[in-house]
Amino acid sequence: MTSFDTSPQLNVWRMLLALAVVFVMLATTGWTAMRGHRTTTELAASLSAWEHGSIAGHRLPDPEAAPALLAGFFATLTEGQQTSLARRYPLAVGNMNGAPAQLRYRANRIALGKARRVELARMHDKRLTSSGQHLAGRRMHRLESLMEPGRQILSFDPDGTGRVAEVFGDLDKAERVSVVVPGVDTDLLTFQRTDRRHSAPAGMAGALYDAERAASPGTRTAVIAWADYTAPSGLGMDAATALRAEAGAVRLNGLLRALPGDAPVSLFCHSYGSVVCGVGARSLPGRVTDIAVAGSPGMRAERASGLGTGARVWAMRDADDWIEDVPHLELGGLGHGADPMSAEFGARVLSSRDARGHAGYFVPGTDSLRNFAEIGTGAYRAVDCADDEDTCRAGLSDGA
C-alpha cells in the first residue's frame, strides 16, 4: 500500500492523470465521497448512557457542553465521585474535553481493558476468518501496550480502525505544550511502531518530548501525540480532499480549547496533518503561538497570511522527501493549495538537514527535530533556517 507517509517518490504525471480521471467522474456521476465520520458505536453508547445518568441525585451535564463548564462540573465532585463516573462511563469520560486529564487517563485505561477483552475473545472466534483472528490479535497486543504502566492515554476510541491520543510529560503543570498532528494511515495499529519508530505518532511525540527537555531542561513541557481524528487511508480520494481534514480540525480545536492552564501551545503537523492544521488555523485559540509543518502537501491556503491565525507559521521539507513532486494546487476541491515552502507562501522556512525522507523528521539527531524542540520551548533565536541569511528568525525574540 502506498501512502503519504510511506510511499516512494510520486510520479507527477500519474497524479495529474488521476486528477483528470476524477474530474471526468465528477462531471458524469456526481460527487459521492463519504461525508464525515462513521458512527462510533461504543463511544456513542457510552455517551448515551452518560446523558441518562446522574450523580448524587443530579443529572449529568451535556457531554458536548463547553470544556470550561464541564471542568467546573468535575471540580465540584469528590475524588470518589469522579472515579465512579470513570468506571460507569469510561469511554465518555475518557474522551470528554473538560474532564481532568488524570481522570481521563484512568477512564481510558478501563476502556482499553474492556476493548482488550473483546479482541482476546475475537482471536478465538471460529466465526472469523484466520485473517480476522490475526487482526484481532494485533489489536489486542496494541491495546496491551497502551495499558503499560506510565502511559497517559488522553483519548481512545476503539471503533473502526481506532483513534488514540497520548500525553508525554505533566500536562497540568506544563509551561509549554506541543501537539503532534500526524498524516494519513494513522490509526490504532499504526499509532506506534517497532520498526521506523519515529515515523509513528507515539514515536514522534516521544522524541520531541526528549528533545525539548534536552534543549531547555528548566522548562516544564508536555507533548501530545494526537491521532484522534479519522485520517485518510493511503493516497485515495480522501487524501486528495479536505473532508477528513475538516472533521479533524473540529476535533483538534476541541482538544486545544480543553487543555488545562494557559501555557503556550505549538502545533507540529506532518504531511496530511498539515492540511488539518491549515483548515483549523482560523479557529485556533489564542494560546496557539506556532504552527510548524513538515513534508506538507499544502495547507488549503495560498499564503500564510490567508490562514487567518496570529500564530507563527514554520515550514520544512527534506531534500529527499518525495512529496515535493506532488502538484501544489487546489481545483474543484482536489489538492491542498500552495507549497508552504515557497517564498510566495510566506512561512518561516527551517532547516531539516539529516532528516530521512518523508517520514524521518522526528528522528533524533536531525536538524528538523532540534528545530521543532527549539520552537516547542520558545527558543526561537536558536532555530536554524533553511537559507544562509537566517531569514526565518527575522523579527523574533525568545518566548521561553
Side-chain angles (χ1 to χ4, degrees):
M1 175 184 293
T2 60
S3 77
F4 262 128
D5 292 321
T6 61
S7 169
Q9 183 170 334
L10 287 179
N11 184 296
V12 177
W13 297 109
R14 181 182 176 191
M15 176 65 77
L16 291 175
L17 177 60
L19 290 174
V21 170
V22 168
F23 283 125
V24 172
M25 293 174 61
L26 294 179
T28 57
T29 63
W31 181 254
T32 58
M34 184 180 74
R35 300 175 184 274
H37 298 300
R38 292 190 302 167
T39 302
T40 51
T41 306
E42 293 184 53
L43 176 55
S46 186
L47 289 169
S48 177
W50 170 282
E51 289 172 344
H52 294 88
S54 63
I55 189 80
H58 299 286
R59 291 286 301 270
L60 298 176
D62 181 353
E64 300 296 329
L69 188 152
L70 291 169
F73 162 73
F74 281 103
T76 67
L77 304 179
T78 65
E79 184 175 350
Q81 289 173 323
Q82 291 186 9
T83 300
S84 175
L85 291 177
R87 289 174 176 168
R88 288 158 56 191
Y89 317 105
L91 280 174
V93 174
N95 289 277
M96 192 173 295
N97 290 325
Q102 294 294 330
L103 183 63
R104 292 178 67 170
Y105 302 156
R106 294 200 298 272
N108 282 318
R109 185 173 182 82
I110 295 170
L112 286 164
K114 290 185 176 182
R116 177 192 173 279
R117 290 191 291 274
V118 169
E119 299 300 341
L120 184 61
R122 285 171 53 82
M123 287 176 60
H124 305 288
D125 190 336
K126 301 302 182 182
R127 295 170 297 178
L128 297 179
T129 64
S130 58
S131 61
Q133 292 175 332
H134 177 69
L135 177 61
R138 290 180 63 202
R139 286 175 61 95
M140 191 273 290
H141 289 301
R142 173 64 69 245
L143 295 166
E144 284 185 338
S145 177
L146 293 173
M147 293 176 66
E148 290 176 356
R151 300 197 71 167
Q152 302 177 132
I153 306 305
L154 187 66
S155 62
F156 166 64
D157 182 354
D159 186 60
T161 56
R163 298 196 297 243
V164 189
E166 181 175 11
V167 175
F168 295 80
D170 190 331
L171 192 58
D172 291 314
K173 296 180 180 179
E175 297 170 319
R176 308 277 309 193
V177 176
S178 298
V179 181
V180 174
V181 183
V184 304
D185 292 331
T186 298
D187 55 31
L188 176 65
L189 291 178
T190 61
F191 182 70
Q192 62 189 57
R193 293 187 177 108
T194 301
D195 296 329
R196 297 186 300 111
R197 173 187 172 190
H198 301 108
S199 67
M204 292 177 178
L208 179 57
Y209 179 62
D210 290 342
E212 288 183 350
R213 289 194 298 169
S216 183
T219 303
R220 295 193 302 270
T221 62
V223 179
I224 302 174
W226 189 80
D228 194 24
Y229 79 105
T230 303
S233 177
L235 290 175
M237 180 68 75
D238 283 340
T241 71
L243 289 177
R244 294 297 178 93
E246 290 167 354
V250 172
R251 298 184 65 81
L252 178 60
N253 272 294
L255 163 81
L256 297 173
R257 295 185 182 281
L259 291 176
D262 56 3
V265 176
S266 300
L267 303 182
F268 298 92
C269 319
H270 177 246
S271 195
Y272 188 85
S274 67
V275 186
V276 177
C277 293
V279 170
R282 191 173 299 276
S283 302
L284 293 175
R287 66 190 293 188
V288 177
T289 57
D290 299 275
I291 304 173
V293 302
S296 174
M299 300 181 72
R300 308 293 293 192
E302 292 306 305
R303 290 177 173 79
S305 59
L307 291 170
T309 176
R312 286 171 287 272
V313 180
W314 309 80
M316 66 169 65
R317 184 172 60 227
D318 180 57
D320 296 327
D321 191 336
W322 56 263
I323 209 163
E324 180 178 5
D325 294 327
V326 172
H328 288 281
L329 52 83
E330 191 279 321
L331 186 61
L334 297 174
H336 301 303
D339 183 357
M341 292 290 291
S342 68
E344 294 78 14
F345 189 80
R348 298 174 180 272
V349 181
L350 295 162
S351 168
S352 57
R353 187 171 52 249
D354 297 325
R356 303 174 185 177
H358 185 61
Y361 292 98
F362 290 84
V363 174
T366 58
D367 259 17
S368 49
L369 180 62
R370 190 183 61 76
N371 275 329
F372 284 162
E374 303 292 8
I375 292 170
T377 56
Y380 303 118
R381 293 180 62 82
V383 300
D384 281 342
C385 304
D387 58 34
D388 295 328
E389 299 176 358
D390 297 334
T391 54
C392 74
R393 297 202 301 263
L396 293 180
S397 59
D398 285 351

